[in-house]
Amino acid sequence: MKKGYKWGSSTFGKVRENWHYLNLPILIQYSLKAPIQFELGIEPSYLFGFNKTFFEDPEVIEVFDLGGLFGISYMIKGQYEITARYFHSFIPYGKLYFYDFVGAGGVIKEEVGLTNHYHTYLKISVGYFFNRFVSESQQPNF
């Protein structure tokens, strides 16, 4: 999965960073009512690629990420599934420093703050099940 962000400012111009992770979601699914399922789990991830276009010196980035996720799925006629999942990491991947800039040249006056960065994402997917047998009693009526 590709994670990253884009932003821009008058001082720095356009900024883009990309991280390429191998994710392994581990989920528990609970079916409350026939076509609806809820998902809850963890997702360990390993960083195998990094592309940074703003800073000249690479920062120390965590190669391992672990986060929690939850989601909801809706089955349509036993063959199609629509899923939405939200992920938030437990481990910060980097730090963001805030500076007080002076003048149009962007001269740094002083560091005024620090915060951690965490990965988050919302993933929406549509799936189709091939050769799935659904009996008449399991088929929802809609």
Side-chain angles (χ1 to χ4, degrees), residues 77-92:
K77 302 211 182 217
Q79 293 288 139
Y80 303 94
E81 182 179 56
I82 298 173
T83 304
R85 286 186 188 156
Y86 176 77
F87 170 86
H88 186 77
S89 68
F90 302 139
I91 301 170

Side-chain angles (χ1 to χ4, degrees), residues 11-12 19 35 39 45 47 49 55 62 70 84 92 95 133 136:
T11 305
F12 297 110
W19 296 272
E39 303 173 343
S45 304
L47 177 68
F55 300 99
E62 292 290 331
F70 68 89
K95 298 184 182 301
F133 175 75
E136 292 295 323

Side-chain angles (χ1 to χ4, degrees), residues 27-75:
L27 298 168
I28 295 172
Q29 291 184 329
Y30 177 74
S31 182
L32 184 63
K33 203 150 189 191
I36 299 174
Q37 289 185 334
F38 295 95
E39 303 173 343
L40 181 66
I42 61 170
E43 184 175 277
S45 304
Y46 179 75
L47 177 68
F48 66 88
F50 181 74
N51 174 356
K52 197 171 184 178
T53 60
F54 177 58
F55 300 99
E56 293 296 324
D57 297 327
E59 293 180 36
V60 177
I61 301 293
E62 292 290 331
V63 295
F64 178 75
D65 191 16
L66 178 67
L69 55 87
F70 68 89
I72 186 169
S73 297
Y74 185 76
M75 185 67 70

Side-chain angles (χ1 to χ4, degrees), residues 108 111-112 137 139:
I108 297 174
E111 183 180 314
V112 294
S137 63
Q139 195 67 251

